[in-house]
């Protein structure tokens, strides 16, 4: 079964209609078992993606502080080869980045064919934090939805599979996670007074997320809202979507590789024949 449906822009959504504690009636043990199977398949598919090098994969992770972007990356990466995978994290723009259009730093980090890149935050920050903190006038950030769609369409028509995940947690869950960071010395490095200040803007962020989802969910770059109060369900749902997106390409990739193998073999044979003849 498929746990989550893609948003492709045909239906507008409201975030408060989506239960952040949803877990498809599974328990943690079942969920983790299924997740492990999916990650094994993902590892195989990623190797084919790399070998065939006809497609690229771009995974966008967004979510409020503590939603689990880092945890998701650790989980997804636990199975794939670092040879053809990397993470690109987007922070407050440097002066050089800020002196360019907002997509300049993003475009440089997009995946090449054969590789997978995870965006830990992304170009969406330019319609999220930038909007919430009024860093540019409304006319500027409003125009960005269309600019983002055009950019993502460019990537998609050039062979990039784009998957965008909003990690959706409740306000109560965020408070609990922030407090845990205060208690757990291994998590204390993540403590930030800014997180408590940002939390006061919770409703503004929810509205900004909702608008980003509703304006920028497209058939070529769908958004998924991932119920993320349960970390194991978040991991499972994302693993499943990755696998189900790549699986239909398996045959095409295998054919590619077979054809390439045959061609090389023919050349090796021809080389031997020439050698034998001389
Ligand atoms: P973290 O992900 O916790 O390392 O924090 C990165 C910070 O950079 C977050 O507070 C983001 O909101 C901020 N950030 C990322 N992109 C932008 C942007 N385009 N403009 C302003 N702030 C940004
Ligand atoms: Mg942070």
């Amino acid at each position: 079964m498929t746990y989550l449906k893609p948003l492709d822009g045909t239906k507008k959504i409201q975030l408060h209609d989506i239960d952040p504690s949803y877990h498809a009636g599974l328990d943690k043990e079942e969920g983790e078992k299924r997740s492990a199977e999916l990650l094994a398949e993902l590892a195989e598919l990623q190797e084919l993606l790399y070998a065939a090098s006809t497609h690229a994969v771009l995974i966008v992770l967004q979510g409020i502080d503590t939603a689990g972007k880092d945890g998701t990356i650790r989980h997804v990466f636990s199975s794939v080869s670092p040879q053809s995978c990397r993470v690109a994290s987007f922070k407050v723009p440097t002066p050089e980045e800020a002196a360019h259009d907002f997509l300049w730093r993003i475009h440089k980090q997009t995946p090449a064919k054969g590789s997978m890149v995870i965006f830990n935050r992304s170009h969406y920050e330019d319609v999220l934090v930038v909007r919430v903190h009024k860093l540019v006038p409304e006319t500027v950030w409003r125009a960005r939805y269309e600019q983002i769609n055009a950019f993502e369409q460019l990537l998609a028509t050039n062979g990039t599979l784009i998957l965008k995940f909003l990690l959706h947690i409740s306000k109560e869950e965020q408070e609990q996670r922030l407090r845990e960071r205060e208690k757990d010395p291994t998590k204390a490095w993540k403590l930030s007074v800014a997180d408590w200040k940002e939390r006061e803007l919770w409703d503004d962020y929810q509205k900004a997320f909702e608008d980003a989802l509703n304006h920028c969910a497209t058939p070529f770059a769908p958004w998924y809202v991932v119920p993320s109060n349960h970390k194991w369900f978040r991991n499972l749902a994302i693993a499943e979507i990755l696998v189900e997106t790549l699986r239909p390409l398996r045959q095409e990739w295998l054919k590619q590789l077979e054809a390439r193998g045959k061609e090389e073999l023919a050349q090796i044979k021809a080389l031997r024949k020439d050698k034998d003849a001389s």
Side-chain angles (χ1 to χ4, degrees):
M1 84 172 256
T2 310
Y3 302 116
L4 302 182
K5 290 210 170 61
L7 304 177
D8 60 6
T10 48
K11 207 174 126 233
K12 301 284 176 226
I13 60 111
Q14 292 198 310
L15 274 175
H16 65 66
D17 292 336
I18 301 172
D19 176 9
S21 291
Y22 176 77
H23 55 85
L26 297 170
D27 65 30
K28 187 175 175 186
E29 200 182 325
E30 283 173 305
E32 286 181 342
K33 185 164 165 271
R34 180 78 193 112
S35 221
E37 289 163 7
L38 286 164
L39 286 189
E41 187 174 352
L42 179 64
E44 249 177 70
L45 287 165
Q46 191 230 351
E47 211 174 317
L48 291 176
L49 166 85
Y50 176 62
S53 282
T54 52
H55 295 80
V57 178
L58 173 60
I59 298 162
V60 170
L61 294 182
Q62 287 288 166
I64 204 113
D65 296 310
T66 75
K69 298 184 289 293
D70 296 340
T72 300
I73 291 169
R74 270 198 305 278
H75 179 77
V76 172
F77 265 101
S78 65
S79 78
V80 297
S81 162
Q83 172 129 276
S84 56
C85 263
R86 71 190 160 81
V87 180
S89 297
F90 296 97
K91 311 267 181 189
V92 177
T94 63
E96 192 191 16
E97 287 170 347
H100 288 82
D101 71 85
F102 77 105
L103 292 171
W104 181 74
R105 66 175 183 160
I106 308 292
H107 208 161
K108 284 199 289 195
Q109 298 287 353
T110 54
K113 288 197 173 85
S115 69
M116 190 186 271
V117 173
I118 303 185
F119 279 3
N120 183 353
R121 303 185 188 269
S122 65
H123 42 308
Y124 283 94
E125 290 294 327
D126 290 280
V127 291
L128 295 170
V129 65
V130 165
R131 167 181 174 170
V132 170
H133 285 279
K134 302 184 170 64
L135 302 180
V136 300
E138 178 167 350
T139 49
V140 173
W141 60 256
R142 275 220 179 267
R144 288 181 175 165
Y145 297 121
E146 279 311 306
Q147 292 161 358
I148 288 173
N149 288 342
F151 170 66
E152 291 178 355
Q153 186 159 29
L154 169 75
L155 301 180
T157 52
N158 282 280
T160 305
L161 305 166
I162 306 170
L163 297 167
K164 301 179 298 197
F165 298 102
L166 175 67
L167 309 183
H168 180 49
I169 57 168
S170 62
K171 203 173 175 186
E172 297 71 40
E173 179 68 20
Q174 189 194 43
E175 179 169 4
Q176 210 173 324
R177 291 185 185 183
L178 286 173
R179 290 196 186 281
E180 264 166 39
R181 285 183 184 177
E182 292 175 16
K183 282 185 244 149
D184 182 349
T186 66
K187 287 187 180 162
W189 65 275
K190 284 190 174 183
L191 278 175
S192 157
V193 64
D195 289 346
W196 286 100
K197 287 191 187 147
E198 289 301 282
R199 181 174 160 78
E200 287 171 20
L201 301 167
W202 180 273
D203 291 342
D204 295 346
Y205 271 106
Q206 297 299 304
K207 179 81 188 93
F209 282 133
E210 225 163 67
D211 282 348
L213 294 169
N214 286 327
H215 288 299
C216 300
T218 56
F220 50 84
W223 267 110
Y224 294 84
V225 179
V226 184
S228 298
N229 275 4
H230 298 290
K231 294 173 183 172
W232 63 265
F233 182 76
R234 170 201 78 201
N235 291 342
L236 170 63
I238 292 175
E240 188 194 44
I241 291 159
L242 286 175
V243 166
E244 290 196 347
T245 302
L246 301 185
R247 197 190 275 145
L249 291 159
R250 178 196 286 272
Q251 285 312 317
E252 183 185 325
W253 289 338
L254 281 171
K255 260 194 213 143
Q256 270 271 339
L257 297 181
E258 211 179 306
R260 221 187 292 162
K262 271 190 189 149
E263 203 178 296
E264 285 299 318
L265 204 59
Q267 288 191 31
I268 291 170
K269 279 187 181 153
L271 182 74
R272 283 196 193 130
K273 217 168 155 192
D274 282 353
K275 263 201 175 157
D276 290 347
S278 62

